[in-house]
Amino acid sequence: MPERRTLLARATALGATRRLAECESLCRLVLEHDPHDRSALRLLAWAQYERGASIDAERSARAWLSVEPESTDACRALGRALARSGREREAIALLRRCAANTGEDEDRARLARVLGTIDEHRGEALALVRERARSLGADASVRATHQWLRAAVALDHRPSIAVLSARLVALAPDDGAMRASCAAAMLRVGDVRSARAHAIAAIERRPNTVLAWSVRASACRALGLQTELLECESALASARTAVAPRRAS
């Protein structure tokens, strides 16, 4: 068998190109020889989360956390997996720990997003989102701003959605995935013209972005743009076909 470092390097490269099943296979190969290899557990948990296998990701994250009990990264991985599988109450304690340990904006935003899904925590989540929407500056990261926007959308707080969407566009004007998120956010608040404009911008940068085509189709339907709607529906079917192999991997 190739040495551990070689296998992990290959697995990392496969993950970067979204060949997630192959990435996972190599991680498991490493773990067959050392079940406590923290690097392999980290990469395996990430790959499983990325392909939507939240139960598998939870299992790997727990194994990683058992090896590194003080690891904030392992704690975060487990919290994200639990939140994605609908176990938000369990996730909150872990995500609070991450936010407290790192003080990072993205961790605080992720915590706010999960808090917003539980009725008794919505007030706290809303206070966090409102404060950040007021204070967000040019030094904010794209990833953190995206998480804050997702939190605002989960809370359906329209003033914050407008502010955070505009800031995300300013930070990442050429990022198709981020523009698609802005499109979805604008659709959520009923601004269908802005949603359509963002979706078109996202498609120009990433033609097979399913979310952007879906938002554009919804906006066209609302605006009565029947010819464009037919184009969107055809393109949406093609985009879904194009990404299907990646999701299956």
Side-chain angles (χ1 to χ4, degrees):
M1 185 186 78
E3 66 171 12
R4 169 189 172 277
R5 284 183 297 180
T6 301
L7 287 173
L8 286 173
R10 289 180 186 172
T12 301
L14 289 165
T17 58
R18 310 299 298 180
R19 294 165 64 181
L20 300 175
E22 294 169 82
C23 172
E24 290 179 42
S25 294
L26 291 183
C27 288
R28 289 194 183 95
L29 189 57
V30 174
L31 291 168
E32 284 178 11
H33 292 266
D34 181 2
H36 303 297
D37 189 302
R38 63 192 66 184
S39 296
L41 288 168
R42 173 200 291 261
L43 187 54
L44 181 59
W46 171 84
Q48 291 166 333
Y49 180 87
E50 287 296 302
R51 70 172 175 84
S54 55
I55 300 302
D56 291 339
E58 177 194 340
R59 188 180 301 113
S60 297
R62 286 190 187 280
W64 176 16
L65 195 59
S66 71
V67 174
E68 284 192 286
E70 301 305 316
S71 170
T72 299
D73 290 337
C75 180
R76 182 186 300 112
L78 180 54
R80 293 176 72 194
L82 289 169
R84 176 169 284 183
S85 63
R87 294 156 66 186
E88 290 89 352
R89 293 180 187 278
E90 295 176 66
I92 284 175
L94 293 160
L95 297 177
R96 281 195 193 279
R97 173 180 157 187
C98 291
N101 285 350
T102 69
E104 291 183 5
D105 201 26
E106 187 176 352
D107 282 326
R108 292 176 61 246
R110 187 175 290 108
L111 171 62
R113 181 165 60 83
V114 178
L115 286 170
T117 65
I118 300 176
D119 286 345
E120 60 263 38
H121 293 299
R122 284 180 66 86
E124 179 186 357
L126 186 56
L128 289 169
V129 168
R130 282 175 166 166
E131 187 279 329
R132 196 63 185 117
R134 286 195 298 267
S135 64
L136 201 69
D139 60 335
S141 75
V142 171
R143 288 172 59 90
T145 304
H146 184 221
Q147 287 292 338
W148 284 114
L149 176 60
R150 293 179 69 188
V153 169
L155 291 162
D156 198 26
H157 190 250
R158 300 189 177 198
S160 294
I161 291 171
V163 169
L164 293 164
S165 181
R167 171 50 59 188
L168 186 58
V169 171
L171 289 170
D174 298 319
D175 188 315
M178 295 301 157
R179 291 299 288 268
S181 289
C182 291
M186 290 298 99
L187 187 66
R188 175 71 175 266
V189 300
D191 187 346
V192 293
R193 295 186 184 280
S194 292
R196 176 174 171 267
H198 282 306
I200 290 171
I203 290 162
E204 288 174 352
R205 291 154 178 83
R206 290 182 62 172
N208 285 328
T209 305
V210 171
L211 177 60
W213 280 114
S214 180
V215 170
R216 186 175 176 183
S218 296
C220 288
R221 193 175 293 112
L223 293 167
L225 303 174
Q226 292 303 316
T227 300
E228 186 176 340
L229 174 59
L230 291 174
E231 174 196 346
C232 290
E233 289 175 341
S234 175
L236 182 56
S238 297
R240 284 174 173 153
T241 300
V243 301
R246 185 175 72 185
R247 286 182 175 173
S249 64

